[in-house]
Amino acid sequence: MTVATKVRPIIGLEIHVQLRTRTKLFCGCEVQTDAPPNSRVCGICLGHPGTLPVMNRVALESAALAGMALGCEIARFTKWDRKSYYYPDLPKNYQISQYDIPLAAGGTFEFDVDGSPREIRIRRAHLEEDAGKNIHDTPGCTLVDLNRTGTPLLEIVTEPDLASADDTYAFCVELQRLVRHLGVSEADMQKGHMRFEPNVNVAIEHNGREYRTPIAEVKNINSFKFVRQAISYEIERQVAVWEENNDYVIGKASNENRGWDADRGVTEFQRGKEAAHDYRYFPDPDLLPVQLSDETLGSIRAQLVERPVQRRRRFASEYGLSMKDAETIVEHRPTADLFDEVIKLGGPAEIAGKQFVNVWLKHANDRGVAVTELGVEAARIAELAKMTAEGTVNKTAANQLADAMLTRSNCPSALAKELGLVQVQDADATARWVDEAFAANQQAVSDARTNPKKMQAAIGFLRGQVMKLSGGKADPKLVGKLIEERLQQP
Ligand code: ZN
Ligand code: MN
């Protein structure tokens, strides 16, 4: 029997996003984690005595740009702090991070879950360096690769505003879209460019009282799917533990760090959670504080682009695209830019949207490139959509025309004429094809007239025959109408 009457999950996240820079945060070493082990390191990123770190300006500006897009206030004055801990992948015994004055703070971030809007508050976002990597795949020893040491990371901390594993999943995906759209990160999950640490607990309402389970922070998850699974698991586990212990006292157990075991589909206890004082934060004496002038902030702000969530909503509301199509197009910023241009050039939104997804994106996917790399410019994409909307070509001919446009640079109207794809609006010519099709397919005609079971199929067949006779050029609407009329006649 379950005693929990009402369970409300409370979820927040810490996310580490690897920023896309050529070099590391405080030295000139290239960011190239797949290079031969320990080949992208120097005295600075290893913290050798006598070396002095120098801040990477590009990393700072990317982080500020991301902070602005998260709706945060950007600090005009910030500094670097040392976070002390010992681990083999951190040979200098401290990580350079930001403690009490984060670069960005106090934002909000919007996303959608199945078409309904959600919002999450962003507590802070700061810049810090990554550690190296311990590699455990050689039996009997652990290898350390320090290529990743000093790679710039943006650490984003949210408020615990999420209420389900699905909402969290949607938020994580939207955050990936945002940093990609801004160009501040490749956000490649496979390469560990985004690492999520959900913290989860549940509020349990029982006999008019609310109880809260201890917060579990699940460390270092690098897949959206695992984020969702780990949270679902934690919610169930915490409720079960609470029920088992009859744990009606708040704050009895302490918060803990847990790890996600993907093979077994469970989280496992790692250790109790450190408090900030365990890290002995103090300002890094080797680095100057950072001041951001109005001018610098202004020029960063100028790089801000429409956020993908707003762009999708606009594509749906202004252009009338389905949410699914809008999502597909907005997934890649240059693709979305191209689509905006198509509309600006007079492409009728509805047909342009359908063709963009069903024709152009399909061709691009078949070739493994982006639509922007197909060699078909916005003007020609717009013109094809216009010709289709106006009935100059029918849908089938439009597809053939698109094929031709991929290899030839002519405008679609010239190509349509040359290839004989212009739709025949001539009622007489169309009527002749209908007569011909009727004469050649007597059985179908009689089915269409008298056999209710076969009627629809027979009409469809006749329509196909007429289109075939026309070489695909007849107007399908006109054909349908003429067949209808002809069937009424004896
Ligand atoms: Zn270095
Ligand atoms: Mn961190």
mmCIF file of all heavy atoms in Angstrom, residues 206-233:
data_model
loop_
_atom_site.group_PDB
_atom_site.id
_atom_site.type_symbol
_atom_site.label_atom_id
_atom_site.label_comp_id
_atom_site.label_asym_id
_atom_site.label_seq_id
_atom_site.Cartn_x
_atom_site.Cartn_y
_atom_site.Cartn_z
ATOM 1 N N HIS A 206 1.155 14.534 2.587
ATOM 2 C CA HIS A 206 0.617 13.378 3.294
ATOM 3 C C HIS A 206 -0.116 13.838 4.535
ATOM 4 O O HIS A 206 0.458 14.529 5.377
ATOM 5 C CB HIS A 206 1.771 12.438 3.668
ATOM 6 C CG HIS A 206 1.330 11.224 4.414
ATOM 7 N ND1 HIS A 206 0.731 10.150 3.792
ATOM 8 C CD2 HIS A 206 1.397 10.917 5.730
ATOM 9 C CE1 HIS A 206 0.453 9.236 4.703
ATOM 10 N NE2 HIS A 206 0.841 9.674 5.887
ATOM 11 N N ASN A 207 -1.369 13.481 4.628
ATOM 12 C CA ASN A 207 -2.197 13.902 5.773
ATOM 13 C C ASN A 207 -2.088 15.397 6.064
ATOM 14 O O ASN A 207 -1.857 15.807 7.197
ATOM 15 C CB ASN A 207 -1.803 13.122 7.034
ATOM 16 C CG ASN A 207 -2.275 11.671 6.935
ATOM 17 O OD1 ASN A 207 -3.132 11.360 6.095
ATOM 18 N ND2 ASN A 207 -1.709 10.815 7.755
ATOM 19 N N GLY A 208 -2.159 16.186 4.999
ATOM 20 C CA GLY A 208 -2.152 17.629 5.185
ATOM 21 C C GLY A 208 -0.794 18.231 5.497
ATOM 22 O O GLY A 208 -0.694 19.415 5.775
ATOM 23 N N ARG A 209 0.236 17.420 5.484
ATOM 24 C CA ARG A 209 1.584 17.963 5.699
ATOM 25 C C ARG A 209 2.455 17.700 4.489
ATOM 26 O O ARG A 209 2.225 16.743 3.754
ATOM 27 C CB ARG A 209 2.236 17.290 6.913
ATOM 28 C CG ARG A 209 1.890 17.945 8.235
ATOM 29 C CD ARG A 209 2.904 17.550 9.306
ATOM 30 N NE ARG A 209 4.229 18.109 9.049
ATOM 31 C CZ ARG A 209 5.285 17.883 9.834
ATOM 32 N NH1 ARG A 209 5.190 17.110 10.884
ATOM 33 N NH2 ARG A 209 6.446 18.427 9.551
ATOM 34 N N GLU A 210 3.447 18.573 4.294
ATOM 35 C CA GLU A 210 4.356 18.329 3.171
ATOM 36 C C GLU A 210 5.718 17.897 3.689
ATOM 37 O O GLU A 210 6.274 18.508 4.589
ATOM 38 C CB GLU A 210 4.507 19.593 2.316
ATOM 39 C CG GLU A 210 5.225 19.297 1.015
ATOM 40 C CD GLU A 210 5.510 20.557 0.191
ATOM 41 O OE1 GLU A 210 6.523 21.232 0.456
ATOM 42 O OE2 GLU A 210 4.710 20.841 -0.711
ATOM 43 N N TYR A 211 6.225 16.829 3.119
ATOM 44 C CA TYR A 211 7.546 16.327 3.473
ATOM 45 C C TYR A 211 8.441 16.435 2.246
ATOM 46 O O TYR A 211 7.970 16.286 1.123
ATOM 47 C CB TYR A 211 7.455 14.860 3.897
ATOM 48 C CG TYR A 211 6.515 14.640 5.047
ATOM 49 C CD1 TYR A 211 5.152 14.416 4.818
ATOM 50 C CD2 TYR A 211 6.970 14.682 6.355
ATOM 51 C CE1 TYR A 211 4.270 14.236 5.868
ATOM 52 C CE2 TYR A 211 6.097 14.501 7.423
ATOM 53 C CZ TYR A 211 4.752 14.272 7.173
ATOM 54 O OH TYR A 211 3.897 14.091 8.212
ATOM 55 N N ARG A 212 9.709 16.684 2.481
ATOM 56 C CA ARG A 212 10.632 16.733 1.340
ATOM 57 C C ARG A 212 11.761 15.733 1.523
ATOM 58 O O ARG A 212 12.378 15.677 2.579
ATOM 59 C CB ARG A 212 11.202 18.136 1.188
ATOM 60 C CG ARG A 212 10.093 19.102 0.795
ATOM 61 C CD ARG A 212 10.626 20.285 0.047
ATOM 62 N NE ARG A 212 9.491 21.093 -0.394
ATOM 63 C CZ ARG A 212 9.620 22.209 -1.093
ATOM 64 N NH1 ARG A 212 10.821 22.634 -1.440
ATOM 65 N NH2 ARG A 212 8.558 22.882 -1.468
ATOM 66 N N THR A 213 12.026 14.996 0.477
ATOM 67 C CA THR A 213 13.131 14.030 0.523
ATOM 68 C C THR A 213 14.446 14.790 0.326
ATOM 69 O O THR A 213 14.450 15.892 -0.218
ATOM 70 C CB THR A 213 12.975 12.983 -0.588
ATOM 71 O OG1 THR A 213 12.925 13.662 -1.850
ATOM 72 C CG2 THR A 213 11.692 12.189 -0.420
ATOM 73 N N PRO A 214 15.563 14.215 0.754
ATOM 74 C CA PRO A 214 16.863 14.868 0.541
ATOM 75 C C PRO A 214 17.158 14.995 -0.966
ATOM 76 O O PRO A 214 16.714 14.167 -1.751
ATOM 77 C CB PRO A 214 17.868 13.914 1.184
ATOM 78 C CG PRO A 214 17.081 12.962 1.999
ATOM 79 C CD PRO A 214 15.697 12.934 1.460
ATOM 80 N N ILE A 215 17.899 16.043 -1.298
ATOM 81 C CA ILE A 215 18.224 16.269 -2.707
ATOM 82 C C ILE A 215 19.346 15.338 -3.147
ATOM 83 O O ILE A 215 20.371 15.226 -2.477
ATOM 84 C CB ILE A 215 18.672 17.728 -2.931
ATOM 85 C CG1 ILE A 215 17.542 18.686 -2.546
ATOM 86 C CG2 ILE A 215 19.110 17.946 -4.376
ATOM 87 C CD1 ILE A 215 17.959 20.144 -2.483
ATOM 88 N N ALA A 216 19.114 14.674 -4.276
ATOM 89 C CA ALA A 216 20.180 13.862 -4.868
ATOM 90 C C ALA A 216 20.668 14.571 -6.121
ATOM 91 O O ALA A 216 19.870 14.981 -6.956
ATOM 92 C CB ALA A 216 19.656 12.478 -5.227
ATOM 93 N N GLU A 217 21.959 14.746 -6.215
ATOM 94 C CA GLU A 217 22.522 15.327 -7.437
ATOM 95 C C GLU A 217 23.140 14.199 -8.236
ATOM 96 O O GLU A 217 24.043 13.515 -7.760
ATOM 97 C CB GLU A 217 23.569 16.385 -7.067
ATOM 98 C CG GLU A 217 24.171 17.038 -8.305
ATOM 99 C CD GLU A 217 24.933 18.319 -7.976
ATOM 100 O OE1 GLU A 217 24.494 19.053 -7.062
ATOM 101 O OE2 GLU A 217 25.964 18.563 -8.624
ATOM 102 N N VAL A 218 22.623 14.001 -9.454
ATOM 103 C CA VAL A 218 23.150 12.928 -10.283
ATOM 104 C C VAL A 218 24.234 13.518 -11.166
ATOM 105 O O VAL A 218 23.993 14.425 -11.958
ATOM 106 C CB VAL A 218 22.036 12.268 -11.130
ATOM 107 C CG1 VAL A 218 22.566 11.000 -11.789
ATOM 108 C CG2 VAL A 218 20.824 11.951 -10.265
ATOM 109 N N LYS A 219 25.460 13.016 -11.012
ATOM 110 C CA LYS A 219 26.619 13.664 -11.609
ATOM 111 C C LYS A 219 26.816 13.295 -13.068
ATOM 112 O O LYS A 219 26.575 12.162 -13.476
ATOM 113 C CB LYS A 219 27.891 13.286 -10.828
ATOM 114 C CG LYS A 219 27.832 13.567 -9.326
ATOM 115 C CD LYS A 219 27.580 15.021 -9.008
ATOM 116 C CE LYS A 219 28.820 15.883 -9.252
ATOM 117 N NZ LYS A 219 28.535 17.297 -8.890
ATOM 118 N N ASN A 220 27.266 14.291 -13.838
ATOM 119 C CA ASN A 220 27.905 14.041 -15.122
ATOM 120 C C ASN A 220 27.197 13.132 -16.114
ATOM 121 O O ASN A 220 27.745 12.131 -16.538
ATOM 122 C CB ASN A 220 29.275 13.415 -14.841
ATOM 123 C CG ASN A 220 30.351 14.367 -15.245
ATOM 124 O OD1 ASN A 220 30.182 15.111 -16.220
ATOM 125 N ND2 ASN A 220 31.449 14.359 -14.517
ATOM 126 N N ILE A 221 25.993 13.509 -16.494
ATOM 127 C CA ILE A 221 25.261 12.715 -17.492
ATOM 128 C C ILE A 221 25.457 13.366 -18.855
ATOM 129 O O ILE A 221 25.263 14.573 -18.998
ATOM 130 C CB ILE A 221 23.762 12.661 -17.147
ATOM 131 C CG1 ILE A 221 23.583 12.151 -15.716
ATOM 132 C CG2 ILE A 221 23.011 11.787 -18.138
ATOM 133 C CD1 ILE A 221 22.143 12.058 -15.286
ATOM 134 N N ASN A 222 25.835 12.581 -19.851
ATOM 135 C CA ASN A 222 26.106 13.207 -21.147
ATOM 136 C C ASN A 222 25.138 12.782 -22.242
ATOM 137 O O ASN A 222 25.485 12.768 -23.421
ATOM 138 C CB ASN A 222 27.555 12.949 -21.583
ATOM 139 C CG ASN A 222 27.815 11.475 -21.773
ATOM 140 O OD1 ASN A 222 26.922 10.655 -21.554
ATOM 141 N ND2 ASN A 222 29.010 11.126 -22.183
ATOM 142 N N SER A 223 23.907 12.441 -21.848
ATOM 143 C CA SER A 223 22.901 12.105 -22.853
ATOM 144 C C SER A 223 21.530 12.563 -22.361
ATOM 145 O O SER A 223 21.226 12.448 -21.175
ATOM 146 C CB SER A 223 22.930 10.592 -23.135
ATOM 147 O OG SER A 223 21.659 10.011 -22.978
ATOM 148 N N PHE A 224 20.750 13.116 -23.288
ATOM 149 C CA PHE A 224 19.400 13.583 -22.938
ATOM 150 C C PHE A 224 18.565 12.440 -22.378
ATOM 151 O O PHE A 224 17.820 12.591 -21.421
ATOM 152 C CB PHE A 224 18.699 14.160 -24.168
ATOM 153 C CG PHE A 224 19.382 15.360 -24.751
ATOM 154 C CD1 PHE A 224 19.701 15.416 -26.104
ATOM 155 C CD2 PHE A 224 19.711 16.443 -23.958
ATOM 156 C CE1 PHE A 224 20.325 16.531 -26.646
ATOM 157 C CE2 PHE A 224 20.330 17.561 -24.479
ATOM 158 C CZ PHE A 224 20.635 17.604 -25.834
ATOM 159 N N LYS A 225 18.695 11.293 -23.039
ATOM 160 C CA LYS A 225 17.913 10.129 -22.663
ATOM 161 C C LYS A 225 18.232 9.703 -21.228
ATOM 162 O O LYS A 225 17.340 9.401 -20.447
ATOM 163 C CB LYS A 225 18.235 8.990 -23.644
ATOM 164 C CG LYS A 225 17.250 7.858 -23.640
ATOM 165 C CD LYS A 225 17.609 6.821 -24.683
ATOM 166 C CE LYS A 225 18.637 5.859 -24.101
ATOM 167 N NZ LYS A 225 19.147 4.879 -25.089
ATOM 168 N N PHE A 226 19.523 9.722 -20.902
ATOM 169 C CA PHE A 226 19.918 9.309 -19.555
ATOM 170 C C PHE A 226 19.464 10.327 -18.508
ATOM 171 O O PHE A 226 19.169 9.961 -17.373
ATOM 172 C CB PHE A 226 21.434 9.097 -19.478
ATOM 173 C CG PHE A 226 21.918 7.926 -20.297
ATOM 174 C CD1 PHE A 226 23.251 7.843 -20.700
ATOM 175 C CD2 PHE A 226 21.047 6.911 -20.674
ATOM 176 C CE1 PHE A 226 23.704 6.768 -21.456
ATOM 177 C CE2 PHE A 226 21.494 5.830 -21.429
ATOM 178 C CZ PHE A 226 22.826 5.759 -21.825
ATOM 179 N N VAL A 227 19.418 11.604 -18.890
ATOM 180 C CA VAL A 227 18.902 12.616 -17.962
ATOM 181 C C VAL A 227 17.482 12.240 -17.575
ATOM 182 O O VAL A 227 17.114 12.182 -16.399
ATOM 183 C CB VAL A 227 18.922 14.029 -18.591
ATOM 184 C CG1 VAL A 227 18.112 15.010 -17.744
ATOM 185 C CG2 VAL A 227 20.351 14.533 -18.750
ATOM 186 N N ARG A 228 16.676 11.942 -18.590
ATOM 187 C CA ARG A 228 15.274 11.605 -18.333
ATOM 188 C C ARG A 228 15.155 10.335 -17.491
ATOM 189 O O ARG A 228 14.412 10.296 -16.518
ATOM 190 C CB ARG A 228 14.532 11.432 -19.671
ATOM 191 C CG ARG A 228 13.106 10.960 -19.500
ATOM 192 C CD ARG A 228 12.190 11.413 -20.605
ATOM 193 N NE ARG A 228 12.618 10.899 -21.894
ATOM 194 C CZ ARG A 228 12.106 11.317 -23.057
ATOM 195 N NH1 ARG A 228 11.166 12.228 -23.085
ATOM 196 N NH2 ARG A 228 12.534 10.821 -24.185
ATOM 197 N N GLN A 229 15.936 9.319 -17.863
ATOM 198 C CA GLN A 229 15.862 8.047 -17.137
ATOM 199 C C GLN A 229 16.318 8.211 -15.689
ATOM 200 O O GLN A 229 15.694 7.676 -14.774
ATOM 201 C CB GLN A 229 16.721 6.993 -17.837
ATOM 202 C CG GLN A 229 16.123 6.522 -19.157
ATOM 203 C CD GLN A 229 17.039 5.550 -19.898
ATOM 204 O OE1 GLN A 229 18.132 5.251 -19.443
ATOM 205 N NE2 GLN A 229 16.597 5.083 -21.051
ATOM 206 N N ALA A 230 17.411 8.953 -15.498
ATOM 207 C CA ALA A 230 17.955 9.109 -14.148
ATOM 208 C C ALA A 230 16.951 9.843 -13.253
ATOM 209 O O ALA A 230 16.776 9.496 -12.079
ATOM 210 C CB ALA A 230 19.282 9.865 -14.188
ATOM 211 N N ILE A 231 16.283 10.849 -13.797
ATOM 212 C CA ILE A 231 15.313 11.599 -13.002
ATOM 213 C C ILE A 231 14.108 10.725 -12.644
ATOM 214 O O ILE A 231 13.677 10.679 -11.486
ATOM 215 C CB ILE A 231 14.872 12.877 -13.738
ATOM 216 C CG1 ILE A 231 16.047 13.853 -13.806
ATOM 217 C CG2 ILE A 231 13.680 13.530 -13.033
ATOM 218 C CD1 ILE A 231 15.805 15.061 -14.681
ATOM 219 N N SER A 232 13.581 10.013 -13.641
ATOM 220 C CA SER A 232 12.449 9.119 -13.352
ATOM 221 C C SER A 232 12.826 8.118 -12.271
ATOM 222 O O SER A 232 12.053 7.845 -11.345
ATOM 223 C CB SER A 232 12.037 8.349 -14.611
ATOM 224 O OG SER A 232 11.654 9.229 -15.616
ATOM 225 N N TYR A 233 14.029 7.596 -12.391
ATOM 226 C CA TYR A 233 14.494 6.620 -11.414
ATOM 227 C C TYR A 233 14.562 7.240 -10.025
ATOM 228 O O TYR A 233 14.108 6.654 -9.042
ATOM 229 C CB TYR A 233 15.867 6.070 -11.827
ATOM 230 C CG TYR A 233 16.418 5.078 -10.840
ATOM 231 C CD1 TYR A 233 16.055 3.738 -10.900
ATOM 232 C CD2 TYR A 233 17.274 5.480 -9.822
ATOM 233 C CE1 TYR A 233 16.531 2.829 -9.970
ATOM 234 C CE2 TYR A 233 17.747 4.587 -8.882
ATOM 235 C CZ TYR A 233 17.381 3.259 -8.963
ATOM 236 O OH TYR A 233 17.845 2.371 -8.037
#
